[in-house]
Amino acid sequence: MSSVRIGNCSGFYGDRVSAMREMLEGGELDYLTGDYLAELTMLILGRDRMKDPSLGYAKTFLRQVEDTLGLALDKGVKIVANAGGLNPAGLAHALREVNTRLGLNAKIAHVEGDDLVSRADELGLGSPLTANAYLGAWGIVEALSADADVVVTGRVTDASVIVGPAAHHFGWKRDDFDQLAGAVAAGHVIECGTQATGGNYAFFTEIPNLGRPGFPIAEINADGSSVITKHAGTDGEVSVGTVTAQLLYEITGGRYAGPDVTTRIDNAVLTQEGPDRVLISGVTGEAPPPQYKVSLNTLAGFRNEATFIVTGLDIEAKADLAKTQLESWLTKKPAELVWTLARTDHPDSDTEETASALLRCVVRDSDPKVIGRPFSAVAVEMALASYPGFSLTAPPSNGQPYGVFTPGYVDAGSVPHVAVLPDGTRVDIAPSTLTQDLEAVDEPERPEPLPPQSSLSVPLGTIAGARSGDKGGNANVGVWVRTDDQWKWLAHTLTVEMLKELLPEAADLNVTRYQLPHLRAVNFVIEGILGQGVASQARFDPQAKGIGEWLRSRHIDIPISLLPVTDEKEDSR
């Protein structure tokens, strides 16, 4: 049986609205998928649902389908997306209204059961605003088997919207773990959209045209292997590098657990088959764990912030004065008050902006009145009574609610998984009968080290790429190199201790390192660097998107033989 061609048109809620049409018009597809959900998205949708119980889904998806449903039906492309969020039934109802209004005959199905909020307490999950189990692909398979043209789900794993169409196309069984794992790897690569085609890529300057990168496509084969590509004529690039970067995104070690299969990412082998064509092979699978992960979002309180511009001389003294004044002028101190001073200033600068530093104050409290007008008013009242050159980037607001993400785990058998077919029939989807507790992969042996040789102190990114992201309060940083000799150096040099030296913000945190030799990569999980997760805004880079680039910018001694040929001779050792 020939490969199935699955394109993706969304990596998050807010991604390029025109992408669904671009993918349908750009070339041949069998399925078009979209990932609209993230940890923060579930909180946003939860707040939407509080205001209006009929909401809780990705409204942009509804507009996209209204624009392109007729085109998809004409081309025989089926659409699968997790845009249902907290209300897949509501989205399915809205889609049927669009279908009728357009005079079309699309068959609409949805998958539900992931929403556990009404049972959270009895399941030991507390009292969150949202509680959604990560379901797998088999509800999608059931809906496609009933000839659905559009399938929308709630919180399935990001890769499941790709795995479902592949499993349906090839008739895979529940214990075809190698094939399922291969599809998970392909899904993990394309579910973040243009990150697979050059977006957010460390070596972006090597891509000839990154103006408007095309969205990715996975051509999945019956054995689970796949080729990652994109429509001809679109910008960006699909290379071993761009695929490596995305495989490393938001994982831990060699085992990548899901509700249907545990994927051995450490077995993946990448091969450049041609321009914009990368083969993923060698991926194997194991039985999934007996528990499902649950995404929990809780409204934790309210936050506000003020950012002071501090210019010229005596930066530290000016910042200290601002801190002292603001804290002493507040009639009630917030539960949390955190200062950070970003020394973006340069001595003897020829522009005012580059002569300035940014002093940021973030406040949090359970009482919105404490962090609202009283805090904002004090920050403004300091304007004529504080350090010379006082100004704010913008007037502080009245404050906003913030949330906290935490993962939970429940027995798979306690989670309903229901496919609601186009005719309204409800089909219960049982969890896997074969399960295996998740265990860490034995650490692979390091390759033989390079012999001692002369080195230069240069940025790590001179030879290494990186991709970083968030998982709750933790950050993941994957680092890879492109030659075997560079891998020998990286495997021995970039240890946990070296990472903490290069990233002092991680020095007092628990950091775990994983080796992925086939990808010439190491992956680090930095626990707690993001506080209580992206919604809590504990860090100026709350989703850890820039940590990998910060790491690449840090200087480290690299053997001269590993460096690109340049005229640089300084710092030779």
Side-chain angles (χ1 to χ4, degrees):
M1 186 179 291
S2 62
S3 63
V4 60
R5 194 168 158 93
I6 304 172
N8 185 60
C9 69
S10 177
F12 66 100
Y13 188 15
D15 209 345
R16 192 187 308 170
V17 174
S18 61
M20 186 174 287
R21 176 167 287 277
E22 290 173 18
M23 290 297 284
L24 288 169
E25 291 180 339
E28 294 302 311
L29 294 174
D30 297 305
Y31 296 89
L32 183 59
T33 66
D35 175 25
Y36 291 78
L37 303 183
E39 294 168 1
L40 180 61
T41 311
M42 301 303 282
L43 177 65
I44 293 169
L45 295 178
R47 291 175 61 188
D48 282 352
R49 188 171 63 175
M50 287 176 65
K51 298 173 186 175
D52 183 348
S54 70
L55 298 178
Y57 55 79
K59 290 171 281 190
T60 53
F61 174 80
L62 188 62
R63 296 203 303 270
Q64 289 173 302
V65 171
E66 185 168 11
D67 175 55
T68 62
L69 182 57
L71 177 61
L73 292 172
D74 288 344
K75 294 176 73 74
V77 178
K78 295 180 181 291
I79 297 172
V80 181
N82 61 12
L86 300 177
N87 189 7
L91 178 56
H93 176 74
L95 288 168
R96 292 188 183 97
E97 291 184 335
V98 166
N99 187 44
T100 300
R101 187 166 64 250
L102 295 176
L104 301 174
N105 294 308
K107 302 181 184 68
I108 313 294
H110 75 274
V111 178
E112 63 185 28
D114 60 293
D115 193 343
L116 305 179
V117 70
S118 64
R119 300 168 53 215
D121 188 53
E122 71 177 79
L123 292 170
L125 302 173
S127 302
L129 173 67
T130 68
N132 295 81
Y134 287 81
L135 301 179
W138 294 104
I140 296 170
V141 173
E142 191 71 33
L144 292 173
S145 298
D147 203 28
D149 297 302
V150 180
V151 183
V152 291
T153 75
R155 177 73 276 189
V156 297
T157 67
D158 298 342
S160 288
V161 295
I162 291 96
V163 177
H168 166 68
H169 182 81
F170 293 114
W172 291 338
K173 305 302 182 186
R174 298 291 293 262
D175 60 353
D176 286 332
F177 294 132
D178 288 347
Q179 293 92 323
L180 293 169
V184 167
H188 182 62
V189 170
I190 73 169
E191 53 91 0
C192 270
T194 52
Q195 280 195 169
T197 60
N200 298 345
Y201 181 51
F203 301 110
F204 71 98
T205 57
E206 299 177 4
I207 298 176
N209 187 356
L210 195 56
R212 190 174 173 85
F215 278 72
I217 298 166
E219 296 175 351
I220 302 178
N221 301 311
D223 64 358
S225 64
S226 64
V227 171
I228 307 301
T229 185
K230 63 186 183 71
H231 283 320
T234 56
D235 294 347
E237 179 179 271
V238 179
S239 67
V240 167
T242 66
V243 174
T244 297
Q246 188 53 31
L247 273 179
L248 293 173
Y249 187 58
E250 295 181 349
I251 65 167
T252 53
R255 284 189 169 100
Y256 185 62
D260 299 324
V261 63
T262 293
T263 300
R264 292 296 299 266
I265 291 283
D266 55 338
N267 292 334
V269 176
L270 306 182
T271 307
Q272 192 82 44
E273 285 205 326
D276 296 320
R277 293 185 64 81
V278 173
L279 172 67
I280 304 177
S281 60
V283 178
T284 57
E286 300 167 348
Q291 292 188 314
Y292 285 170
K293 183 179 177 181
V294 183
S295 169
L296 302 170
N297 280 284
T298 304
L299 285 177
F302 300 84
R303 72 180 298 279
N304 202 351
E305 69 175 78
T307 301
F308 302 84
I309 301 173
V310 188
T311 304
L313 303 176
D314 306 316
I315 295 291
E316 299 284 347
K318 290 172 180 175
D320 287 342
L321 175 60
K323 294 176 187 178
T324 300
Q325 288 180 316
L326 186 140
E327 292 191 28
S328 64
W329 291 16
L330 289 172
T331 56
K332 184 174 181 181
K333 192 171 182 179
E336 293 182 61
L337 192 154
V338 180
W339 293 94
T340 55
L341 176 61
R343 292 301 301 266
T344 51
D345 55 301
H346 302 277
D348 194 25
S349 178
D350 58 1
T351 67
E352 181 179 349
E353 186 171 4
T354 55
S356 301
L358 297 176
L359 176 65
R360 181 170 176 246
C361 180
V362 177
V363 291
R364 296 184 182 85
D365 200 280
S366 60
D367 185 351
K369 296 179 181 178
V370 172
I371 57 86
R373 180 166 176 75
F375 169 78
S376 299
V378 165
V380 172
E381 289 166 3
M382 291 167 56
L384 304 182
S386 192
Y387 59 85
F390 178 103
S391 65
L392 295 161
T393 56
S397 69
N398 290 325
Q400 296 291 331
Y402 75 94
V404 171
F405 169 86
T406 53
Y409 296 89
V410 297
D411 289 339
S414 66
V415 179
H417 185 174
V418 181
V420 183
L421 307 183
D423 65 0
T425 302
R426 300 175 63 85
V427 180
D428 291 328
I429 309 298
S432 178
T433 57
L434 297 173
T435 62
Q436 178 178 316
D437 288 333
L438 187 65
E439 296 181 356
V441 175
D442 291 337
E443 184 72 358
E445 290 188 11
R446 298 183 189 183
E448 287 294 319
L450 291 175
Q453 55 186 282
S454 298
S455 63
L456 284 176
S457 179
V458 295
L460 174 62
T462 305
I463 66 168
R467 173 69 56 83
S468 57
D470 65 306
K471 280 295 181 185
N474 302 338
N476 138 258
V477 187
V479 183
W480 80 95
V481 288
R482 301 191 278 190
T483 72
D484 289 340
D485 280 350
Q486 288 173 349
W487 167 239
K488 291 176 182 178
W489 173 82
L490 184 76
H492 287 273
T493 305
L494 196 56
T495 61
V496 168
E497 293 71 28
M498 178 57 72
L499 180 94
K500 290 186 174 186
E501 183 178 327
L502 296 174
L503 305 183
E505 292 180 24
D508 297 326
L509 302 175
N510 186 46
V511 178
T512 306
R513 176 185 187 264
Y514 303 92
Q515 283 191 164
L516 298 163
H518 286 307
L519 300 177
R520 300 192 190 100
V522 289
N523 187 51
F524 296 91
V525 177
I526 307 172
E527 297 180 22
I529 195 169
L530 303 179
Q532 293 178 298
V534 55
S536 70
Q537 296 281 316
R539 196 171 179 274
F540 87 102
D541 175 21
Q543 290 182 291
K545 301 298 187 185
I547 289 182
E549 288 304 295
W550 176 30
L551 178 62
R552 293 183 70 238
S553 74
R554 298 289 283 158
H555 284 232
I556 188 171
D557 290 343
I558 300 178
I560 293 174
S561 65
L562 304 183
L563 299 175
V565 177
T566 68
D567 294 329
E568 185 177 4
K569 301 296 182 185
E570 69 215 40
D571 293 334
S572 181
R573 308 198 176 182

